[in-house]
């Protein structure tokens, strides 16, 4: 498939960090309700972009949310008009075909000036920023109180998440959200922390600066530290659906460690709204646990 071939060759990121996704075929199959757009010239694929749709019912109205991802232009054609061309045609399509209230949004790295210009040009506006949080343990251990979410607790966990994210219009949870990948931390039969995990696999091609060069060239050959980061085979846990009851930040970190141990990785990444109370609580409690990694943008139209 042309799209998969292009995405496999795509280097994501910016001048500071570039990487390639692995397991592309399997990851695309997980995208809910995808709609792919392609730009071709002389039967050759130049670019593609995917929109994933979900609907929210609120106050007797249905609003469609379209999340943009996998926006890629073939490396041979980058820097030209093709990115702008495909986005303009996508906008024209939606304006013509979509007749219900809709919201379009995307996540863009803060230093990706090219994507910022393209999105601003077609009407996107920045409304929020998020930061990447990195968690690591050389030898993660599973804690007894950490466990996979089972059927009897699913509705309880769903209620906790909906209450925790009630002020976030784009947050969406239902019982399908858990899908066998959600883990909880219990104390005396009470859920005090929860997190969903997906295993990710990247090849990191470039890290900027002297420190980045040292990490790329030396770290993979240091036996113990290479467990945390191997650029040629970077496997980590990607976390979302975070729940942490106030005052139980330590237990939340123990849950992250347990999930890393279960999935046999030493590193976990998550992305959080910098204005959220949860982010501030974890940041305050993160001494020795988390490191702020990078900033990115959140740009809905």
């Amino acid at each position: 498939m042309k799209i998969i071939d292009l995405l496999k060759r795509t280097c994501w990121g910016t001048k500071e960090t570039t990487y390639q996704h692995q397991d592309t075929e399997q990851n695309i199959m997980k995208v809910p309700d995808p709609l792919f757009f392609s730009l071709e010239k002389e039967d050759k694929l130049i670019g593609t972009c995917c929109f994933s749709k979900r609907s929210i019912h609120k106050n007797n109205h249905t609003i469609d949310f379209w999340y943009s991802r996998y926006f890629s232009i073939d490396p041979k054609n980058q820097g030209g008009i093709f990115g702008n061309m495909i986005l303009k045609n996508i906008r024209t399509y939606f304006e013509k075909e979509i007749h219900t209230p809709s919201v379009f949004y995307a996540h863009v790295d803060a230093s990706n000036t090219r994507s910022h210009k393209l999105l601003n040009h077609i009407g996107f506006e920045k409304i929020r920023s998020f930061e990447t949080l990195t968690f690591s343990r050389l030898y993660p251990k599973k804690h007894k109180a950490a466990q996979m979410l089972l059927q009897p607790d699913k509705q309880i966990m769903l209620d906790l998440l909906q209450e925790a994210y009630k002020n976030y219009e784009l947050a969406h949870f239902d019982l399908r959200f858990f899908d066998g990948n959600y883990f909880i931390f219990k104390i005396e039969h009470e859920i005090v922390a929860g997190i969903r995990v997906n295993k990710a696999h990247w090849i990191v091609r470039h890290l900027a600066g002297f420190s980045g060069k040292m990490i790329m060239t030396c770290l993979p050959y240091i036996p113990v530290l290479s467990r945390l980061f191997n650029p040629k085979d970077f496997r980590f846990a990607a976390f979302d659906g975070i729940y942490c009851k106030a005052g139980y930040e330590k237990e939340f970190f123990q849950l992250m460690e347990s999930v890393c141990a279960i999935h046999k990785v030493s590193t976990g990444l998550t992305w959080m709204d910098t204005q959220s109370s949860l982010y501030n609580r974890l940041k305050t409690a993160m001494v020795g646990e988390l490191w702020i990694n990078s900033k990115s943008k959140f740009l809905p139209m």
Side-chain angles (χ1 to χ4, degrees), residues 154-200:
K154 284 188 176 181
Q155 187 59 52
I156 296 172
M157 190 68 246
L158 181 61
D159 293 340
L160 290 172
L161 285 172
Q162 290 176 338
E163 175 62 24
Y165 292 91
K166 63 183 179 181
N167 294 324
Y168 284 80
E169 295 292 340
L170 296 178
H172 175 67
F173 308 103
D174 57 25
L175 292 177
R176 293 171 297 176
F177 174 79
F178 303 122
D179 194 29
N181 293 317
Y182 203 90
F183 293 81
I184 59 175
F185 199 98
K186 272 188 172 184
I187 294 180
E188 296 181 354
H189 306 293
E190 180 188 6
I191 299 174
V192 298
I195 199 165
R196 188 174 73 161
V197 61
N198 286 292
K199 285 193 69 173

Side-chain angles (χ1 to χ4, degrees), residues 137-280:
R137 286 288 186 272
L138 282 172
Y139 300 99
K141 297 180 180 179
K142 184 182 181 302
H143 295 257
K144 292 182 179 180
Q147 58 189 270
M148 181 181 288
L149 180 67
L150 299 178
Q151 188 62 42
D153 289 322
K154 284 188 176 181
Q155 187 59 52
I156 296 172
M157 190 68 246
L158 181 61
D159 293 340
L160 290 172
L161 285 172
Q162 290 176 338
E163 175 62 24
Y165 292 91
K166 63 183 179 181
N167 294 324
Y168 284 80
E169 295 292 340
L170 296 178
H172 175 67
F173 308 103
D174 57 25
L175 292 177
R176 293 171 297 176
F177 174 79
F178 303 122
D179 194 29
N181 293 317
Y182 203 90
F183 293 81
I184 59 175
F185 199 98
K186 272 188 172 184
I187 294 180
E188 296 181 354
H189 306 293
E190 180 188 6
I191 299 174
V192 298
I195 199 165
R196 188 174 73 161
V197 61
N198 286 292
K199 285 193 69 173
H201 183 195
W202 293 355
I203 295 177
V204 179
R205 297 296 184 187
H206 174 74
L207 293 176
F210 177 77
S211 61
K213 184 177 181 179
M214 292 296 293
I215 290 173
M216 291 288 291
T217 57
C218 298
L219 196 61
Y221 302 100
I222 302 176
V224 176
L225 295 182
S226 62
R227 293 176 59 88
L228 299 179
F229 178 70
N230 182 352
K232 296 179 181 179
D233 186 26
F234 183 37
R235 298 175 186 268
F236 61 94
F239 295 127
D240 64 3
I242 293 173
Y243 170 75
C244 178
K245 183 178 179 180
Y248 290 88
E249 290 76 19
K250 178 181 177 181
E251 287 74 15
F252 173 73
F253 296 139
Q254 291 175 339
L255 176 60
M256 295 177 80
E257 180 180 3
S258 299
V259 174
C260 285
I262 291 169
H263 286 276
K264 299 180 180 180
V265 296
S266 296
T267 301
L269 300 181
T270 190
W271 296 263
M272 299 189 68
D273 171 18
T274 56
Q275 296 183 36
S276 72
S277 60
L278 175 60
Y279 167 82
N280 291 323

